[in-house]
Amino acid sequence: MSDIDLHRLSQCYGRAFAGCELVVPGVNRTYRTAAGDDVYYLRLYRPIGRSPVEIAFEMRLLREVRPIPGIAVARPIRTVDGEDCAHVQLNGVGRIAGLFQALDGRPLIDDTEDVALFGSALAKLHSALAGIDGGGVRPLDPAALCARAAASLMSIPGSEAAQCAVDRCRVEILGDPAAQDLPSGNCHGDARLANAVVKDGSVGFFDFDDCGCGAYVLDLGTAAWHFLRGDPAKMAVLVAALLAGYGRVRPLSRAELQVLPYYVKLAEVRALLFLAEFCTLADGLWPLVLDRATDLLERELTI
């Protein structure tokens, strides 16, 4: 039994949806649904923290991404009225919903071959997204993200050390001349293997909920952070494969390589920000999360 009104959803999109399976619970809820032989993913955006203007930019970014051999993106589907999104009810609360194409392919795994392929595809994605004006609605500015995270953590008891660590991260980035004027443009925002599939050597990207405009190294730092959080022992070899793959398409500057550790830490800061603003953790979990984050942010990372 789906908690989505399939009849209403079918009317909105002019498709006869046969079922709706929840595949990702949480702040944003993602459902897998099908109409005939076609498969789609439906995302219910969180009720707060993602404005209609920000959602509209994500949709436009995915519609206007330039076709480049070797990559694909999960493009959004318009409603029968030509709207970017539908409005659905979940437990009596209205939610904005976006419907996206399903990408065919297998999940990527954390071996050097797949990671290098992912790196090359990420560089191609940056090129494909370049020049699409976001109007400044989704800036991925490190200083602003750190300041916002530190402020959000103030409501979390026992977070003082983490707040100080976040602020030191901000000072580190701002104080390094190499972090200024980096190659920038539209970024995926949560670039990781779990948000991509591969088929016949072509990588398909999905889940652009965190997309925005910032330094391209932000996506590389995010991917590296996921490697660190997955298996620290494999991080060095996987990051090397990621950078090698990316560099085959767009060589990285010395400055980008120098500031990459900052952007690994920034991924931790962004994770803290998300948890503080949108998630309710059990009281017993917060100390573990805060200690882990503080340890990483105060560490000198060598990549």
Side-chain angles (χ1 to χ4, degrees):
M1 183 85 176
S2 174
D3 53 7
I4 299 296
D5 185 339
L6 290 178
H7 177 68
R8 171 63 181 149
L9 190 68
S10 297
Q11 287 182 320
C12 284
Y13 287 101
R15 290 165 168 80
F17 294 114
C20 206
E21 175 192 4
L22 179 65
V23 292
V24 181
V27 180
N28 291 324
R29 294 170 69 86
T30 302
Y31 297 80
R32 185 177 187 272
T33 185
D37 294 330
D38 298 321
V39 177
Y40 306 91
Y41 285 91
L42 180 76
R43 179 196 297 147
L44 269 58
Y45 288 89
R46 49 190 178 268
I48 59 172
R50 184 63 79 214
S51 71
V53 173
E54 291 173 321
I55 295 172
F57 170 65
E58 177 189 349
M59 297 298 183
R60 181 158 62 83
L61 191 72
L62 294 174
R63 293 190 200 287
E64 296 185 11
V65 59
R66 291 188 297 279
I68 291 181
I71 64 166
V73 301
R75 295 185 184 267
I77 308 297
R78 292 189 188 275
T79 69
V80 292
D81 295 326
E83 300 293 332
D84 281 334
C85 297
H87 294 269
V88 303
Q89 292 286 319
L90 179 69
N91 299 325
V93 178
R95 301 278 287 266
I96 296 176
L99 187 69
F100 300 87
Q101 296 172 334
L103 296 174
D104 190 19
R106 66 166 176 83
L108 289 106
I109 59 174
D110 60 348
D111 68 10
T112 54
E113 184 175 348
D114 266 13
V115 170
L117 179 63
F118 178 82
S120 295
L122 187 58
K124 294 176 183 178
L125 179 67
H126 288 160
S127 177
L129 296 175
I132 303 173
D133 184 16
V137 300
R138 286 202 183 191
L140 295 172
D141 174 63
L145 289 167
C146 287
R148 184 174 151 196
S152 296
L153 286 170
M154 292 177 67
S155 64
I156 308 300
S159 66
E160 292 79 9
Q163 293 175 47
C164 291
V166 169
D167 195 55
R168 281 194 293 273
C169 181
R170 179 185 62 83
V171 172
E172 283 181 347
I173 297 176
L174 291 179
D176 193 331
Q180 311 304 314
D181 301 319
L182 295 167
S184 300
N186 292 312
C187 298
H188 182 284
D190 190 16
R192 54 179 175 142
L193 301 186
N195 284 335
V197 293
V198 60
K199 181 180 180 182
D200 299 329
S202 180
V203 175
F205 293 91
F206 54 88
D207 193 358
F208 284 74
D209 179 50
D210 291 319
C211 68
C213 187
Y216 291 133
V217 72
L218 179 141
D219 275 343
L220 292 168
T222 300
W225 176 76
H226 281 286
F227 296 148
L228 176 62
R229 284 304 180 210
D231 184 351
K234 298 174 65 175
M235 180 184 178
V237 67
L238 293 181
V239 170
L242 174 75
L243 299 182
Y246 190 96
R248 285 198 285 268
V249 177
R250 183 183 74 81
L252 291 159
S253 68
R254 180 177 298 178
E256 287 175 291
L257 294 172
Q258 180 175 323
V259 303
L260 181 58
Y262 299 150
Y263 280 86
V264 175
K265 291 184 178 183
L266 184 63
E268 183 73 34
V269 171
R270 294 174 70 209
L272 278 177
L273 173 61
F274 184 85
L275 288 173
E277 289 195 341
F278 304 120
C279 294
T280 302
L281 291 181
D283 290 342
L285 288 179
W286 266 116
L288 298 175
V289 169
L290 293 170
D291 287 348
R292 184 185 72 170
T294 302
D295 175 69
L296 173 60
L297 294 176
E298 291 184 341
R299 199 187 316 166
E300 183 173 348
L301 294 180
T302 302
I303 297 176

